Amino acid sequence: MRLFLALVPPPALRRRLGVLADAAQSRCGGRRMPDDGFHLTLAFLGEQPDAQATAIADWLTRFTLLPGRWRLDRWGQFRRPGIVWVGDNAPDPALGALQHQLWNGLERLGIEGRPERFVPHVTLLRRAERPPAPDLPAVALDWTYSRVELIRSTVTPRGSRYACLARTPGPLPDVSTDGRKDEER
């Protein structure tokens, strides 16, 4: 099965990313990612046998994650595959450290494939026909994260479908002073 480790945004942030994806698609063309498909890939694991997927899931449920915050503040593009994304202007040291820590654990499990560089981003469009235009809305989103998920990716004619197989233990969603949970905002 095809697997990756990722941060998955809460529903309110997914909706805000969806608004940006709509704006990008109207200017860049391409195939818009569905809101429930938005994520930040920390480690792409590729095809893994069932036994290895079970070992990764077991390891992840014992992984200690320090919650963090990632600031998304720029548009970006990977030209060759036509990917339009949002990410950060300055590398986030905590996010880089998390990705490094995850790969250290994966390598102890015998997983190879650590990338030479890490470009944190959330893909909004695939097969974009034009690069992000200067008139796209400004990106200014804060993402508070507290869990990493092991996700199975199934490729279908209509695009990839994702299913969470395991996640790190994490706190319950924060509740604001108005009584709403993070994902409700």
Side-chain angles (χ1 to χ4, degrees), residues 71-77 85-90 119-120 138-140:
R71 177 74 172 170
L72 292 90
D73 55 9
R74 74 173 275 232
W75 290 95
Q77 177 189 34
W85 50 266
V86 291
D88 55 15
N89 271 312
V119 180
V139 179

Side-chain angles (χ1 to χ4, degrees), residues 16-58:
R16 293 172 70 195
L17 290 166
V19 170
L20 292 175
D22 290 340
Q25 187 179 38
S26 72
R27 290 166 179 83
C28 304
R31 184 170 54 87
R32 183 193 185 282
M33 296 295 293
D35 289 7
D36 64 356
F38 294 137
H39 64 274
L40 163 61
T41 300
L42 296 165
F44 180 73
L45 311 176
E47 289 293 329
Q48 298 294 326
D50 289 350
Q52 187 69 298
T54 300
I56 297 166
D58 183 55

Side-chain angles (χ1 to χ4, degrees), residues 118-147:
F118 176 50
V119 180
H121 68 280
V122 177
T123 298
L124 301 180
L125 302 176
R126 294 189 185 280
R127 293 187 227 135
E129 299 154 9
R130 294 172 295 285
D135 65 337
L136 284 170
V139 179
L141 302 173
D142 287 315
W143 178 348
T144 301
Y145 58 87
S146 60
R147 289 190 174 166

Side-chain angles (χ1 to χ4, degrees), residues 34-183:
D35 289 7
D36 64 356
F38 294 137
H39 64 274
L40 163 61
T41 300
L42 296 165
F44 180 73
L45 311 176
E47 289 293 329
Q48 298 294 326
D50 289 350
Q52 187 69 298
T54 300
I56 297 166
D58 183 55
W59 165 76
L60 190 64
T61 61
R62 295 186 320 269
F63 185 87
T64 302
L65 171 68
L66 295 175
R69 182 178 298 252
W70 181 39
R71 177 74 172 170
L72 292 90
D73 55 9
R74 74 173 275 232
W75 290 95
Q77 177 189 34
F78 299 131
R79 286 194 181 119
R80 191 162 200 198
I83 302 292
V84 171
W85 50 266
V86 291
D88 55 15
N89 271 312
D92 182 286
L95 206 50
L98 171 59
Q99 191 256 2
H100 182 77
Q101 186 181 14
L102 288 168
W103 269 109
N104 287 344
L106 290 165
E107 287 171 344
R108 285 192 294 275
L109 292 172
I111 307 291
E112 297 178 355
R114 183 189 299 241
E116 290 184 22
R117 67 183 198 133
F118 176 50
V119 180
H121 68 280
V122 177
T123 298
L124 301 180
L125 302 176
R126 294 189 185 280
R127 293 187 227 135
E129 299 154 9
R130 294 172 295 285
D135 65 337
L136 284 170
V139 179
L141 302 173
D142 287 315
W143 178 348
T144 301
Y145 58 87
S146 60
R147 289 190 174 166
V148 173
E149 296 188 7
L150 173 62
I151 299 174
R152 178 182 62 223
S153 173
T154 305
V155 179
T156 72
R158 298 177 71 183
S160 296
R161 299 290 172 237
Y162 304 133
C164 177
L165 301 179
R167 62 177 50 100
T168 56
L172 294 174
D174 291 334
V175 177
S176 70
T177 54
D178 64 6
R180 294 182 302 156
K181 297 176 193 168
D182 271 347
E183 60 264 5

